[in-house]
Amino acid sequence: MPELPEVETTARLIRPQLLGRRIEGVRVAWERSLGGDSRAAFGRRVRGARVAAVGRRGKYVLLDLQRAGQPAGTLLVHLRMSGRLVVERPQAPAGPYARVRLLLDGGRELRFLDVRKFGRFVFHDDPAPVLERLGPEPLGPAFTRTWLRAALRIRRRQLKPLLLDQSFLAGLGNIYVDESLFRARIHPLRSAHRLDGRAVGALHAAIRDVLAAALAAEGSSIDAFYRTPEGRAGAYQERFCVYGRAGQPCPRCGASVRRLVVGQRGTHVCARCQRPPRGP
DNA sequence: AGCTACTCCTGGTAGC
DNA sequence: TGCTACCAGGAGTAGC
């Protein structure tokens, strides 16, 4: 599933192909990808604009648009489960899953591919209201151990759903939460406010280390879905310690990796390294 | 506040 | 072989 490392990899690789390009045509095969806009309204808002910047915030790819050198809105692309962004020649076959296509000047086309149709490709005049709801960037300067300690202390939620909550911390998904909690040796069912300073420090370092390593590997490809915009699989799945490894040995202690369900999400823990909280 | 359940989707797979 | 049933999963929403 595209999480921060996969989304950042996507943004980095499409950026040089999009910067300065003008959107000359729009084709929408699945209107719901637009998040409420009609094809016609979307086309009107986007056609003729230039791509001024390509960024990322949380799991969103951000395409800042300009008209006549002035800011003219932002495309917020969320890949959700199976979304991809690729830049190809317009003549190249697009396949059955191309939901939105932006024809660009210079003989290129940005394609939003999405098998499961959960992804969104949405134009906003002002993206601030959406982006302001997100928590800090885990690889950014605001995500300090001090911040994490204070933020955890005032939450009573279980760690797993809290770390998946994008308004708490932006960019983590199921894979990297499980891997981070394993690395920090913390059970996903533990209450946020019960972590001591040592555990908070371990969690902070684990989140940073896991995301940085995954980013260096261009993300994780665990099924047919995630590929870089250039079609490569990521490599970090080869370094998973617990995610998708139920029944296999923990790489640290050899005990069996267990799969449980937390908040309707498959969750993976080492039965020995990650001690469950004492039940009431 | 924080939980659970439900919704959106489809390819893949298990079971028969 | 061919069919059906079920599953995964990010995030938004509703209800408690």
Side-chain angles (χ1 to χ4, degrees), chain A residues 16-280:
Chain A
Q17 301 195 266
L18 296 183
L19 283 182
R21 297 270 70 88
R22 183 173 180 274
I23 299 166
E24 306 205 308
V26 176
R27 295 196 67 81
V28 178
W30 184 254
E31 200 166 40
R32 281 191 228 174
S33 297
L34 305 179
D37 260 1
S38 67
R39 285 177 177 83
F42 180 80
R44 254 182 274 121
R45 300 166 99 172
V46 161
R47 204 176 295 113
R50 280 187 193 279
V51 179
V54 178
R56 179 195 59 77
R57 179 75 173 92
K59 299 181 197 171
Y60 290 98
V61 175
L62 311 177
L63 306 181
D64 289 335
L65 305 185
Q66 283 187 354
R67 292 178 190 275
Q70 296 303 309
T74 301
L75 284 163
L76 294 198
V77 185
H78 200 302
L79 305 173
R80 292 281 180 94
M81 307 294 304
S82 60
R84 295 180 57 201
L85 288 171
V86 298
V87 181
E88 290 170 332
R89 297 183 311 131
Q91 311 90 285
Y97 306 122
R99 310 300 183 189
V100 182
R101 301 160 67 173
L102 302 185
L103 182 65
L104 308 170
D105 63 358
R108 307 254 83 183
E109 186 173 84
L110 174 66
R111 295 171 173 172
F112 176 57
L113 316 177
D114 189 17
V115 172
R116 293 199 175 162
K117 299 180 175 174
F118 280 11
R120 291 293 178 261
F121 195 103
V122 182
F123 177 86
H124 289 265
D125 289 313
D126 177 10
V130 175
L131 302 181
E132 279 165 3
R133 281 185 242 131
L134 299 175
E137 283 290 321
L139 293 178
F143 181 62
T144 61
R145 196 183 328 157
T146 305
W147 175 85
L148 184 62
R149 184 160 196 187
L152 292 176
R153 196 160 42 202
I154 58 170
R155 312 278 186 137
R156 308 184 83 83
R157 299 174 71 179
Q158 295 170 337
L159 278 169
K160 169 98 184 197
L162 181 63
L163 293 172
L164 287 174
D165 183 341
Q166 302 300 297
S167 71
F168 179 76
L169 190 62
L172 290 180
N174 211 34
I175 293 172
Y176 298 115
V177 167
D178 282 7
E179 291 296 314
S180 297
L181 287 168
F182 167 79
R183 185 174 297 216
R185 308 192 189 210
I186 298 169
H187 197 280
L189 291 179
R190 286 181 62 187
S191 242
H193 71 293
R194 293 225 177 101
L195 290 200
D196 62 20
R198 187 206 58 80
V200 172
L203 180 59
H204 177 262
I207 290 170
R208 289 241 196 195
D209 292 349
V210 165
L211 289 177
L215 186 52
E218 295 189 314
S220 309
S221 298
I222 50 163
D223 49 30
F225 293 135
Y226 171 71
R227 294 292 181 274
T228 71
E230 287 154 15
R232 287 189 300 278
Y236 193 74
Q237 68 282 358
E238 291 158 25
R239 294 166 62 184
F240 286 171
C241 293
V242 288
Y243 185 83
R245 296 190 66 250
Q248 297 177 52
C250 164
R252 189 161 47 209
C253 79
S256 185
V257 172
R258 299 265 165 78
R259 181 180 188 276
L260 45 150
V261 175
V262 182
Q264 287 92 243
R265 295 240 147 40
T267 298
H268 308 79
V269 296
C270 169
R272 190 182 295 153
C273 295
Q274 293 165 273
R275 288 266 166 242
R278 299 168 156 276

